[in-house]
Amino acid sequence: MGRVKARKGETSGVRPARAGEGDAVRNLLAEVARDEQDQMQLAVSCQLLDKGVDTTRFAEPFRLLVFERRRTLLGAALVQAGSLGSKPGDHLAELEAHQNLYAQQAGMQSKMFARVNAVCAHLAFMAVAPASRGQGLGRQLIRAAADIERQRGRRMLTGYVWHDDLAHMYERWGFIVSPPETAAFFLREKVGNLHAPSAAALSLTEGSRLIVLPLVPEVRAYDIGTADQPFPAVVGIEEPFDPAHLDMPKELSEMKERIEAFARQQMTLYGPERARAMFDAFLGQSRN
């Protein structure tokens, strides 16, 4: 069957869930809440919905979307802030005997995933009522969620699946699907004319796959491995280089602040053109 169409005088389509619809949403999504933690998250989300709390104002906001037809909810989706890489991946276990090296690598991975999560939205749950499946409702929910998150500046929508059939379905919808139980991200940042990739692996729950829907062209699948050491299903993000990502020793940070304050003072006294010329002349003398 194709896309569901409303009859004359009826409403049909995706919209934000409303207060009072918590029980209906929870019933739709209960089957995809796999464990106690998922069930608790779903219950809390629906309780906040019924209390009319504006969850988009939270530090880690989430949205509940529903598909309604003939005043009946036939599907629902919960989209939340990115939450990838919350703990060091299993691939770091072999370094645990070397505490300094382990701490360094775990810290680098944590910072990288923080940067990925800043541009990522996560599809926590999505389900359609059994009698309404095969009609394109799930795809409409995903499309609506993707449009909302793209407008909010997100660059990808992620999720997890545990069945090959679901993996194939999301792949047909344009998602990148990782191999079972492993996934990897890398940021490729432009520094001058060079690209500096930084990569981190994500250990998934047994039997699960990560799915990623690119929301902008710069997010896509790569293979940065070699024939001897393949590294497939990598999700890469192109973004401009930002020195703020780097750790800077306290002394250099203080020096940077003093130089910036001095530069602002010179521009106030002499104007931007003359101040720039003075700095260029000074730098030319230093190189000589």
Side-chain angles (χ1 to χ4, degrees):
M1 296 178 65
R3 179 172 176 167
V4 173
K5 295 182 179 179
R7 295 177 181 176
K8 187 176 181 179
E10 293 179 341
T11 58
S12 178
V14 180
R15 61 167 173 78
R18 299 171 186 148
E21 295 178 334
D23 286 343
V25 170
R26 183 165 50 248
N27 290 338
L28 281 167
L29 297 177
E31 67 172 295
V32 292
R34 293 180 55 83
D35 53 31
E36 186 176 345
Q37 183 177 349
D38 282 355
Q39 293 162 8
M40 178 65 71
Q41 180 186 1
L42 181 58
V44 169
S45 302
C46 292
Q47 287 172 7
L48 291 173
L49 169 68
D50 279 341
K51 291 180 180 178
V53 177
D54 183 4
T55 59
T56 61
R57 297 180 180 273
F58 288 9
E60 294 186 0
F62 65 85
R63 297 174 186 273
L64 275 164
L65 300 176
V66 296
F67 186 98
E68 178 188 34
R69 183 170 183 260
R70 301 177 193 172
R71 299 182 180 180
T72 302
L73 302 190
L74 303 180
L78 171 61
V79 181
Q80 62 186 24
S83 58
L84 299 165
S86 57
K87 61 181 181 180
D90 294 341
H91 65 290
L92 294 181
E94 61 190 39
L95 299 177
E96 288 185 348
H98 310 280
Q99 288 300 312
N100 291 339
L101 185 57
Y102 177 82
Q104 179 192 50
Q105 294 298 316
M108 288 173 62
Q109 175 176 290
S110 175
K111 289 182 180 179
M112 180 176 166
F113 276 120
R115 289 157 59 195
V116 171
N117 288 330
V119 296
C120 171
H122 186 71
L123 180 65
F125 309 111
M126 194 279 286
V128 172
S132 301
R133 291 172 186 169
Q135 301 176 11
L137 277 62
R139 190 166 192 167
Q140 291 183 57
L141 281 163
I142 295 296
R143 185 182 297 123
D147 288 344
I148 291 170
E149 298 305 327
R150 187 183 295 109
Q151 291 171 11
R152 295 180 61 229
R154 304 301 184 191
R155 301 172 69 182
M156 60 184 170
L157 177 65
T158 65
Y160 298 107
V161 294
W162 278 264
H163 303 291
D164 288 342
D165 289 345
L166 284 177
H168 295 324
M169 180 188 74
Y170 280 105
E171 202 164 26
R172 290 196 305 273
W173 292 354
F175 281 77
I176 299 165
V177 180
S178 78
E181 300 172 27
T182 181
F185 286 83
F186 81 90
L187 299 176
R188 185 154 63 183
E189 301 171 312
K190 192 170 184 180
V191 187
N193 294 323
L194 303 175
H195 283 85
S198 54
L202 179 65
S203 300
L204 307 180
T205 304
E206 184 178 355
S208 68
R209 295 172 182 253
L210 178 74
I211 56 173
V212 179
L213 179 66
L215 303 181
V216 294
E218 293 79 11
V219 176
R220 58 185 187 273
Y222 291 84
D223 186 344
I224 57 173
T226 64
D228 296 331
Q229 293 183 314
F231 198 15
V234 175
V235 177
I237 305 173
E238 299 274 356
E239 64 176 28
F241 177 72
D242 182 359
H245 295 326
L246 304 178
D247 285 332
M248 185 177 292
K250 183 179 179 181
E251 295 80 2
L252 287 180
S253 180
E254 292 174 350
M255 185 183 299
K256 176 175 176 286
E257 290 175 3
R258 290 200 299 270
I259 292 172
E260 288 174 348
F262 179 69
R264 287 193 296 270
Q265 181 189 58
Q266 294 301 301
M267 287 192 179
T268 303
L269 292 173
Y270 301 109
E273 295 294 333
R274 187 176 174 192
R276 189 176 296 110
M278 292 166 61
F279 273 100
D280 287 344
F282 172 74
L283 291 174
Q285 290 174 4
S286 346
R287 284 193 292 266
N288 296 333

